[in-house]
Amino acid sequence: MNTYGRNILLALGVAGLGYFLWSLFVASRYQALCEISYWSATEAQLRACDEIRASLPRN
């Protein structure tokens, strides 16, 4: 495998890891705040959870 192929695999791995970490952060935020799963919640449930988050005081 040449360096071009290795670089593509490295870029795909980094992108995959970034997506995994992002999805873990998003899913855990909705789970902790509203006790819903981000991946199975409806759009209305997600909007309601975002409204709850917006109404919380900021430190």
Side-chain angles (χ1 to χ4, degrees):
M1 179 179 289
N2 58 17
T3 56
Y4 180 72
R6 233 178 291 160
N7 288 342
I8 288 177
L9 285 177
L10 179 63
L12 288 173
V14 168
L17 180 63
Y19 177 76
F20 170 76
L21 292 174
W22 171 82
S23 66
L24 183 66
F25 170 74
V26 168
S28 63
R29 180 178 65 183
Y30 282 99
Q31 180 66 34
L33 184 60
C34 300
E35 296 181 1
I36 60 173
S37 170
Y38 176 78
W39 304 112
S40 63
T42 64
E43 189 68 31
Q45 289 173 319
L46 294 175
R47 276 194 308 261
C49 191
D50 287 338
E51 289 174 9
I52 291 171
R53 185 178 57 89
S55 67
L56 292 174
R58 298 200 182 257
N59 292 343

